[in-house]
Structure formats: structure tokens, C-alpha cells
Amino acid sequence: MGKEIERAILDGAQEIAAPAFVATLSICIVFLPMFLLSGVAKFLFVPLGEAVVFAMLASYMLSRTVVPTMAKWLLRGHEHDAEHTKPSRNPFVRMQLRFEKAFEHLRDRYHGVLQRCLHHRRAFLIAFFAACLGSWA
């Protein structure tokens, strides 16, 4: 979108704050009835519930603090116009760029396959149903 890296990271973190909080809260609420158990079941399952709740809360806290900080550090020096900049020495930036290039290549090939399938709908449907019938036999 052409934003500066820091602004993009903060905007992205802000966009997922509410859904991540709701998901964390939902998972934690599921384990609350475990704390009402008694007897042997309490000793078996309450530690599990505590571990899951604390892990989810820690995960949420890390996603709000450490993840944006690490993203800023890992994307340090990453420019939007990669053709006009010198290659980064950061191995994570280089790995990200290679992944993006490979993913775009895969996406373009998949787009081409879908275009061909839509252009030749009848042949695709015949081949699809023949394959389905062949797998049932």
C-alpha cells in the first residue's frame, strides 16, 4: 500500500488486535468449567486448563508486543522498490524475498491453470467427472 514499514506494522497489529483478543478469550472461556471439577478429575485436568489458558494469554501478549518489534527488526532496510535498492544482508529479508518470488510464480501458474479450465469448461467437467467416477470404481 506504499506505507512506511513501521506504520504498516502498527496498522497490521491494530487490525488483528480485536479478532486475536476474541479468539484468545473464546479459547480461555472453554477451559473455565474445568476449574469447577472436584476429586481426581480436578487434579488431572485443572493443570491442563491452567497451562492452556496461560499459554493463550502469553501468546496474545507476545503477538501484541514482541511480534511487531521483531517484524520491524527483521524488515529493517526493506524498501518497497526492490529494483532500485542494493540487496539486503539480512538473511530473513533475503529469505522473505525469495519466498515472495516463488509464491508469486506459483500463484501465476495456478491462475493460468484456472484460466485454461474456465476457457475449456466442458472438457474440464468431463475430465473431472471421469476422474471422480474412476476413483469410485
Side-chain angles (χ1 to χ4, degrees):
M1 298 175 113
K3 296 180 183 178
E4 293 179 17
I5 294 294
E6 186 172 343
R7 182 80 260 156
I9 290 169
L10 292 174
D11 288 351
Q14 184 179 359
E15 286 181 17
I16 65 142
F21 180 71
V22 170
T24 301
L25 201 58
S26 299
I27 292 171
C28 291
I29 287 172
V30 168
F31 287 94
L32 286 181
M34 282 189 174
F35 296 103
L36 301 175
L37 294 173
S38 61
V40 175
K42 179 178 182 175
F43 294 109
L44 288 174
F45 296 114
V46 168
L48 169 71
E50 289 173 347
V52 171
V53 168
F54 287 131
M56 292 303 300
L57 293 174
S59 173
Y60 178 75
M61 292 305 297
L62 289 173
S63 75
R64 302 296 301 145
T65 57
V66 175
V67 171
T69 304
M70 288 298 294
K72 183 178 178 192
W73 182 76
L74 291 174
L75 296 175
R76 176 179 57 209
H78 181 77
E79 300 294 329
H80 294 289
D81 195 6
E83 294 88 30
H84 302 309
T85 61
K86 63 179 183 176
S88 174
R89 293 184 340 164
N90 186 336
F92 294 109
V93 171
R94 290 196 319 261
M95 183 175 64
Q96 176 193 5
L97 292 174
R98 281 195 309 269
F99 176 80
E100 286 177 4
K101 185 176 179 181
F103 186 78
E104 287 177 17
H105 177 70
L106 176 68
R107 186 188 60 196
D108 292 342
R109 290 189 62 188
Y110 183 67
H111 184 263
V113 168
L114 290 178
Q115 288 294 334
R116 283 193 296 279
C117 289
L118 289 173
H119 190 261
H120 305 288
R121 289 180 186 161
R122 285 196 176 121
F124 173 75
L125 286 174
I126 291 169
F128 176 77
F129 286 124
C132 288
L133 293 174
S135 67
W136 288 344

